Structures are given as C-alpha cells and as structure tokens.
Amino acid sequence: MKTPKYLAKVVQRYLDMTIDLLKKKRLNFKNVKLNEVPKKSGVYAIFDKNDIIYVGRTKNLQRRLIKEHRRGKVEQSQFRRALMNNYGFSDEEQLNRYIDKCSFSFVEMDKLIEMVRLEHFVTAILKPKLNVELKTDKNKSV
C-alpha cells in the first residue's frame, strides 16, 4: 500500500503539471499557424473565453488540434462531435464559427501513461463541460 506521503507527492506532481498546462500561452484557433503547434505528443486544454471546455491527449498535437479539431469533420473529432451534440449547432459552418472563437494550450509529453494520467487528473479536478458530457453520454448508452 502506498503511503500518504507518497500519494501527496504524486497528487502535487499532477497538480503542478495541471497548473503548467493552464499557464501556457493560449493560441486562438482562428489565428494559429501550423508552426506554432508541434507534431509531438502531449495533453491539451480547449477554452471558451476563460472556461475550460475540453481536455484531450494525442500523439500529434498539430494534427489533432489544427487538422481534426479546427478544420476536420465531426466524424474525425471527438471534440467537434461533443460540440455538435451538446451545443445544438445545426451545421459545420456554425460549428466552425464557434471554434474560431475558442483557444487552446498544450504541454508536450513523451510517455503515454503520463499523458493519460494528466488528462484524467485535469478532467477530474476541473470537470471540463464537454468531457463531462461525453462521459455522461457514454454511460447513458450502456
């Protein structure tokens, strides 16, 4: 069994990583350039003004954030699908206008297990609206 001291260290570590993610420079979907987002793995947070609405992880931040979430089709992006299902957008154009007003930040990470843990920690602590809605939708279909 893990000691309370060890658990406190682990929680503090993920809290520090969460704070780092939230303090990173936010890039606006509408104005972001490809070279501003690396083709590296990491965890990202998407914001609507100052509210965090979605947290995710990926092997390729550039592909996921720019090509799938910003420009992709609903079928390619869990984020776009969650927006369509929960915000009542009637078409992709309306969805694109909303996404253009959103921003995101990210942290690069190499290890999948660390990415999964950070994504889950941030989701559990901050409860981004779309992550919570996706989890609720999955539970309804079971």
Side-chain angles (χ1 to χ4, degrees):
M1 177 163 217
K2 305 290 183 189
T3 65
K5 191 174 184 179
Y6 170 80
L7 293 175
K9 275 182 152 177
V10 171
V11 169
Q12 186 61 54
R13 185 166 162 252
Y14 284 97
L15 182 59
D16 291 344
M17 286 191 281
T18 300
I19 291 167
D20 184 42
L21 173 64
L22 297 176
K23 283 185 172 182
K24 292 282 186 179
K25 176 185 173 189
R26 290 190 195 170
L27 300 170
N28 186 285
F29 274 105
K30 184 175 185 176
N31 302 321
V32 69
K33 308 279 188 274
L34 274 177
N35 65 354
E36 293 179 289
V37 183
K39 293 180 180 178
K40 296 187 176 189
S41 59
V43 174
Y44 59 91
I46 299 177
F47 302 86
D48 177 357
K49 296 182 179 128
N50 287 322
D51 296 327
I52 185 168
I53 59 171
Y54 189 79
V55 174
R57 69 181 187 289
T58 182
K59 293 179 187 175
N60 183 326
L61 288 159
Q62 187 181 96
R63 186 192 74 238
R64 179 66 48 87
L65 289 164
I66 308 298
K67 296 178 181 172
E68 294 175 9
H69 289 346
R70 179 177 176 219
R71 299 185 191 146
K73 299 290 181 206
V74 170
E75 304 83 42
Q76 297 171 314
S77 166
Q78 191 168 331
F79 169 65
R80 290 177 74 87
R81 202 167 33 254
L83 282 172
M84 279 293 245
N85 292 339
N86 293 290
Y87 284 36
F89 296 117
S90 57
D91 58 35
E92 294 265 352
E93 188 56 39
Q94 196 177 34
L95 179 63
N96 290 337
R97 282 194 302 272
Y98 176 81
I99 291 172
D100 279 348
K101 294 177 184 175
C102 293
S103 61
F104 63 90
S105 63
F106 60 86
V107 290
E108 295 176 29
M109 300 179 82
D110 293 328
K111 296 180 181 173
L112 177 61
I113 190 70
E114 291 294 310
M115 291 178 0
V116 170
R117 288 176 180 162
L118 180 58
E119 177 191 27
H120 288 218
F121 186 85
V122 174
T123 302
I125 299 300
L126 299 178
K127 300 192 182 334
K129 179 179 171 85
L130 295 176
N131 293 81
V132 172
E133 295 294 332
L134 282 169
K135 193 171 189 178
T136 304
D137 289 347
K138 285 180 184 175
N139 289 338
K140 286 179 186 175
S141 63
V142 179

